[in-house]
Amino acid sequence: MSIDYSKLPERVIDMLDWTWDEFAPFYQELAQRPLTADSLNQWMVDWSAVMDRVDEVFSRLHVAHTVDTTDEDAERAYNDFLEHIVPPARQAAQELKERFLASGLEPENFAAPLRNMKAEAEVFRSENLPLFTDERKLSSEYDKIVGAQTVEWEGRELTIRQLLPMAQDSDRTRREEAWRLSAQRQLADREAINALWRRFMNLRRTLAANAQCGDYRDFCWRQLLRFDYTPADCETFHAAIEQVVVPAASRIYEKRRRQLDLDSLRPWDLAVDPLHREPLRPFADVSELDAKCETIFHRVAPRLGEYFATMRSEGLLDLPNRKGKAPGGYCATFAHTGHPFIFMNAVGIHDDVQTMLHEAGHAFHVFESNHLPLSQQKEGPMEFAEVASMSMELLAGPYLSAEFGGFYDPAEAARARIEHLEKDLLFWPYMAVVDAFQHWVYTHHDAATDAAACDAKWGELWDRFMPGVDYDGFEDVKVTGWHRKLHIHRYPFYYVEYGLAQLGAVLVWRNSLADQENAIAAYRKALSLGGTASLPELFAAAGARFAFDANTLQEAVDLMTGTIEELEQS
């Protein structure tokens, strides 16, 4: 069989309706072509050319579905790809992977990807391919349930996300009314999400059993290529957070309670400004969000600003919230094009600015690693991918002021940075709840299939890590918090990455305070390594360290709390 790989369509949009019969010949040719030391490089390049296009077709169909979950044609195309392209493509890729591994050959700069490929080959099971498709479909069902949640507020139909600005209203009665309205609407889907959860759990149990794994946690650890840390390390991290961060978080909550002059802090008191200032309103129109962020990125590093300008000019942003749009935010990679795509749900609050800075960090990772020649070299570990995003939030912080082209006057900019640092501190305990919950869920399958047991466990962990907020009378809202964390449903075990990465990001930011130019250079260098290095090596390249211990965490907390105090005094 002879195929000219240069004749693969250059524009992936021309391949969006391809069937497997059109993809298959490229895999078949690679399976039959001689694989020797002399032919290895071209064989790998051609394999990457096919992989990148398949990946980009998937990404584009996923984007089309999430930007409008009510678009039946987009949903049908996405599901057709999941059902008819993904399983045979994974099977064909597995056969090429096994052939490559059997050859004993190794391309240049391929040690880390080779380790990944060996692990992927070990956990691969053909019988799991249709189950992965089913799992994606269940994820889409979750998106549709959440995406359809709207409320009537002052004569208008609003999404739950669009109601968030009310949480910043200085009128406590209005805040409570909006919070109750959102909570009631979300609880209305309690049984639907519980039923979906049972399907998720049964499916994931089968995935683990098929791969001869003791439980789904063991399966996920292998599937997520977690070579550099263990579940026990996560438990060490949880304990460090309880020891170091929970007291600091409790002090933040107590300070807020005193400033608001309340007997107790309620869940509708967490977003309002405690000094009774008007909410930060960074932009009136979403076009201001991307325009000013581009200016900020130019301030951080001119090359980063150029990357973001490319995204703006090429329509690689979908930012405003609207009915029917999937929840959350993400950065997708168009692997063949070499460009990222940012999806989010902006409603005009400061959190939107932070989300943009975060997702842009992921986007810069895509740009910086795109020079690597092979697909397997470009994809870095998720834990470090989050260092890219969380570092950017901190590195961009000093440029939020309008004097640098940002959103705020100097006092507002300081306030925004204080809020960001406090939220980061408050995030670690929440992350511990989410991660510890999943460790329990997937090592106690029988119990965790019962949603009531999940509620009880979530409530127990919440009380352990999240003291300071009074949920009296709203225990049902508290214990169903796991319903509203999409990672638990869509991306199991993908959450501790944020906590580990945030620690690394604070260390990157610390370096920038002493030497901005060299800190940014190290950050970009680490991003450019893609997946060619281990987690400890990537953290070290960025000027950080990969750690779980209380001492390192204490360093970060001291820097953050000290900076908050300085900003408050200024």
Side-chain angles (χ1 to χ4, degrees):
M1 176 182 292
S2 177
I3 293 180
D4 182 356
Y5 282 77
S6 67
K7 298 296 178 60
L8 274 167
E10 186 59 32
R11 298 187 341 142
V12 171
I13 58 173
D14 296 330
M15 305 171 69
L16 295 182
D17 60 354
W18 272 28
T19 66
W20 174 244
D21 288 341
E22 291 168 284
F23 285 110
F26 296 98
Y27 288 95
Q28 293 165 0
E29 193 277 339
L30 286 165
Q32 297 170 17
R33 188 196 306 179
L35 181 55
T36 66
D38 291 336
S39 66
L40 173 64
N41 184 64
Q42 192 59 50
W43 192 88
M44 294 294 293
V45 167
D46 289 343
W47 185 13
S48 290
V50 178
M51 287 176 61
D52 285 348
R53 285 169 170 81
V54 172
D55 286 349
E56 184 164 330
V57 169
F58 169 76
S59 290
R60 289 185 179 274
L61 293 175
H62 175 252
V63 166
H65 175 50
T66 55
V67 298
D68 185 1
T69 62
T70 68
D71 185 332
E72 294 181 358
D73 290 336
E75 181 179 18
R76 188 179 305 109
Y78 177 62
N79 286 335
D80 282 348
F81 188 87
L82 289 176
E83 198 166 331
H84 302 299
I85 305 295
V86 170
R90 285 188 172 180
Q91 181 66 51
Q94 175 67 12
E95 292 168 4
L96 295 181
K97 196 175 299 180
E98 291 174 352
R99 185 174 185 225
F100 166 71
L101 292 173
S103 75
L105 300 169
E106 183 178 337
E108 183 181 359
N109 197 22
F110 209 74
L114 182 62
R115 181 179 70 167
N116 294 346
M117 291 176 71
K118 288 178 179 177
E120 289 167 344
E122 289 174 1
V123 78
F124 177 87
R125 298 293 186 276
S126 296
E127 58 267 37
N128 277 344
L129 294 177
L131 300 183
F132 287 130
T133 298
D134 291 342
E135 187 178 32
R136 289 278 188 179
K137 290 180 178 178
L138 293 181
S139 295
S140 293
E141 288 187 40
Y142 177 81
D143 282 350
K144 290 184 74 173
I145 291 172
V146 176
Q149 290 175 344
T150 63
V151 297
E152 288 292 325
W153 178 260
E154 298 180 343
R156 293 187 298 153
E157 182 184 26
L158 300 179
T159 65
I160 300 296
R161 176 79 182 170
Q162 287 169 335
L163 198 59
L164 281 182
M166 295 302 104
Q168 300 175 326
D169 197 300
S170 59
D171 185 333
R172 196 181 191 210
T173 301
R174 279 170 57 81
R175 294 200 308 272
E176 180 178 354
E177 182 183 356
W179 185 89
R180 285 174 177 267
L181 194 61
S182 294
Q184 289 166 3
R185 177 62 187 89
Q186 289 166 330
L187 285 172
D189 286 324
R190 187 174 187 174
E191 291 309 313
I193 292 178
N194 285 343
L196 189 62
W197 177 249
R198 288 189 287 272
R199 294 164 66 192
F200 269 124
M201 288 297 294
N202 290 332
L203 185 149
R204 288 168 180 162
R205 183 203 301 261
T206 304
L207 285 170
N210 288 347
Q212 286 78 54
C213 293
D215 52 48
Y216 186 72
R217 181 175 71 175
D218 180 30
F219 173 78
C220 255
W221 228 259
R222 300 185 194 184
Q223 187 187 40
L224 294 173
L225 306 175
R226 291 181 172 175
F227 305 108
D228 299 306
Y229 64 107
T230 66
D233 289 323
C234 292
E235 292 171 2
T236 297
F237 197 36
H238 302 162
I241 290 168
E242 186 173 18
Q243 174 187 336
V244 174
V245 187
V246 169
S250 295
R251 289 192 292 272
I252 291 172
Y253 287 131
E254 175 58 18
K255 179 178 71 172
R256 168 174 284 271
R257 185 197 66 78
R258 290 196 313 269
Q259 289 172 330
L260 289 170
D261 192 24
L262 300 173
D263 293 332
S264 66
L265 202 61
R266 302 289 269 168
W268 50 84
D269 298 321
L270 302 180
V272 66
D273 183 72
L275 299 180
H276 307 288
R277 295 166 295 192
E278 287 299 311
L280 290 173
R281 292 287 181 256
F283 55 90
D285 186 90
V286 170
S287 62
E288 296 178 58
L289 175 61
D290 54 292
K292 290 181 178 179
C293 280
E294 181 183 332
T295 301
I296 289 172
F297 295 136
H298 273 288
R299 290 281 187 173
V300 177
R303 186 62 176 150
L304 302 182
E306 292 169 11
Y307 290 148
F308 196 74
T310 296
M311 297 187 71
R312 293 185 69 205
S313 65
E314 298 193 9
L316 296 169
L317 306 168
D318 188 311
L319 309 182
N321 174 255
R322 55 184 174 270
K323 183 181 178 181
K325 192 173 181 180
Y330 64 76
C331 177
T333 301
F334 294 156
H336 169 63
T337 308
H339 285 170
F341 178 93
I342 292 177
F343 167 102
M344 56 182 286
N345 281 276
V347 292
I349 59 179
H350 179 67
D351 186 57
D352 298 331
V353 176
Q354 293 301 144
T355 299
M356 175 63 89
L357 300 179
H358 180 98
E359 300 303 340
H362 287 308
F364 299 149
H365 205 172
V366 175
F367 281 114
E368 291 284 1
S369 62
N370 193 51
H371 69 95
L372 294 164
L374 302 176
S375 298
Q376 297 92 341
Q377 293 173 315
K378 295 176 184 178
E379 188 171 353
M382 290 187 290
E383 296 83 353
F384 188 72
E386 297 301 343
V387 174
S389 56
M390 292 184 161
S391 294
M392 187 48 53
E393 293 183 59
L394 292 164
L395 294 170
Y399 305 105
L400 292 174
S401 176
E403 64 182 305
F404 302 116
F407 300 90
Y408 305 117
D409 65 35
E412 289 174 329
R415 173 184 166 190
R417 293 186 66 197
I418 291 168
E419 290 181 5
H420 175 213
L421 291 169
E422 289 187 340
K423 284 181 179 179
D424 279 358
L425 284 166
L426 297 175
F427 169 75
W428 268 312
Y430 178 70
M431 184 284 302
V433 175
V434 174
D435 191 53
F437 176 78
Q438 296 193 90
H439 281 267
W440 178 82
V441 162
Y442 292 116
T443 55
H444 297 78
H445 273 280
D446 290 336
T449 304
D450 177 10
C454 291
D455 289 350
K457 188 64 181 181
W458 182 271
E460 172 195 325
L461 291 167
W462 191 270
D463 292 341
R464 174 186 170 191
F465 288 102
M466 302 286 289
V469 181
D470 180 7
Y471 274 85
D472 184 37
F474 298 99
E475 286 78 9
D476 53 349
V477 180
K478 180 177 78 172
V479 301
T480 56
W482 62 279
H483 280 194
R484 297 179 288 282
K485 177 41 60 183
L486 67 86
H487 297 74
I488 291 173
H489 304 268
R490 299 201 58 199
Y491 311 110
F493 275 106
Y494 184 47
Y495 213 65
V496 71
E497 289 88 344
Y498 292 115
L500 294 169
Q502 184 167 285
L503 182 52
V506 172
L507 299 180
V508 170
W509 169 56
R510 179 192 62 186
N511 296 340
S512 75
L513 299 177
D515 187 339
Q516 165 95 355
E517 184 176 351
N518 283 331
I520 296 295
Y523 166 79
R524 290 186 58 201
K525 174 63 178 176
L527 300 193
S528 75
L529 295 175
T532 63
S534 69
L535 268 176
E537 290 168 341
L538 289 167
F539 272 67
R545 61 184 180 273
F546 189 57
F548 305 83
D549 62 287
N551 288 338
T552 302
L553 198 53
Q554 189 69 62
E555 289 179 36
V557 170
D558 288 346
L559 173 61
M560 297 164 80
T561 54
T563 303
I564 289 170
E565 290 172 4
E566 291 174 6
L567 289 167
E568 287 176 334
Q569 291 170 3
S570 69

